[in-house]
Amino acid sequence: MEDGTKLFVEQIDGQHYSKKNTGAFRHTGMPFGSKECCPYNSYLNCNVELKKDAIVTFAMNYGGDRPYSALNLRRASCPAGGYIVAKGKGDDIRYESYDADHTLVGTVRTSKNAIS
């Protein structure tokens, strides 16, 4: 993100049931501009439906290494073949969800006045 804030990201829905407690897709301290991938055709780890348009959900937290800070934690979903982009700085961060065709499909904000 623009101010150097780091992210914690963990998949919490859409993966195989055996991976729900182990956090199959989990990255801590992701810096600005970094990209991580969990392929939609990875049945066990990422997408139990094996479809690009199946919905997968992630716990997103800015601040890096404290994944469950109630103030910063948000759920963001996107199609399994798509991606999520974190934008903003400070306590006004938004997570934009895109499909495989790069079409914006949703936005979740972290600002104090936002509804999540």
Side-chain angles (χ1 to χ4, degrees):
M1 293 180 302
E2 292 93 9
D3 65 352
T5 300
K6 295 182 178 180
L7 291 175
F8 170 90
V9 180
E10 181 176 11
Q11 185 174 1
I12 57 174
D13 196 24
Q15 74 274 40
H16 191 269
Y17 72 90
S18 68
K19 296 292 184 173
K20 288 204 184 254
N21 293 328
T22 61
F25 179 89
R26 181 179 186 171
H27 294 278
T28 300
M30 290 177 59
F32 176 74
S34 68
K35 297 177 182 180
E36 298 293 344
C37 180
C38 194
Y40 76 86
N41 59 356
S42 175
Y43 170 76
L44 188 60
N45 293 320
C46 303
N47 176 16
V48 72
E49 292 186 41
L50 294 176
K51 298 176 186 173
K52 286 197 302 188
D53 60 347
I55 299 300
V56 292
T57 303
F58 301 88
M60 311 283 287
N61 179 45
Y62 65 91
D65 59 354
R66 296 180 310 158
Y68 297 109
S69 167
L71 296 175
N72 303 339
L73 185 67
R74 295 294 184 270
R75 292 171 54 108
S77 299
C78 69
Y83 55 96
I84 297 172
V85 177
K87 295 182 176 181
K89 58 185 174 179
D91 62 358
D92 188 17
I93 295 173
R94 66 187 177 279
Y95 303 108
E96 296 178 348
S97 301
Y98 294 86
D99 65 14
D101 296 321
H102 313 290
T103 303
L104 180 66
V105 295
T107 301
V108 175
R109 296 188 74 92
T110 63
S111 66
K112 294 175 183 173
N113 298 322
I115 297 174
S116 299

